[in-house]
Amino acid sequence: MKYLYSKVDGVTLTYGRIRRRGGIDEIPVYFERESQNGDFDFAEGVAPQCVFHRSKGFSELELSELSRYLQANLLLLFEDAYEKRDAS
């Protein structure tokens, strides 16, 4: 299941359920936007590391900006994810 976190300048950030790996809570994150040809650009990664494992359509500069956005929103993202987990 994916949860909506934000939509800024046509880029949507959604995230999955918290998972525990190596003693650290992680959240899978997904950035997506509609491309000019009607397809979708995406970047899939993990927080709190703020790194992307797969992407298509985003430039290296854009991926760097997405990583900074994710870093700036880590606290709120984790708070939201914990609330959703606890409500389940």
Side-chain angles (χ1 to χ4, degrees):
M1 173 173 263
K2 289 185 184 177
Y3 303 99
L4 176 64
Y5 178 75
S6 67
K7 188 167 187 173
V8 178
D9 296 331
V11 178
T12 301
L13 169 56
T14 58
Y15 65 92
R17 292 187 173 164
I18 294 174
R19 58 188 183 209
R20 192 143 185 93
R21 295 221 174 151
I24 297 172
D25 285 347
E26 295 181 338
I27 301 173
V29 294
Y30 312 92
F31 287 92
E32 186 178 77
R33 70 177 174 201
E34 189 172 350
S35 66
Q36 293 178 352
N37 64 5
D39 199 10
F40 282 91
D41 299 334
F42 71 89
E44 297 178 4
V46 64
Q49 294 86 346
C50 302
V51 294
F52 299 104
H53 306 297
R54 289 183 40 195
S55 67
K56 179 184 127 286
F58 286 102
S59 70
E60 288 299 317
L61 177 61
E62 290 172 318
L63 290 173
S64 179
E65 291 170 354
L66 295 177
S67 181
R68 281 195 298 276
Y69 176 80
L70 196 52
Q71 290 170 2
N73 285 274
L74 278 178
L75 181 61
L76 293 174
L77 179 64
F78 269 88
E79 284 179 0
D80 196 46
Y82 283 124
E83 283 179 17
K84 292 209 174 36
R85 180 190 68 179
D86 294 342
S88 304

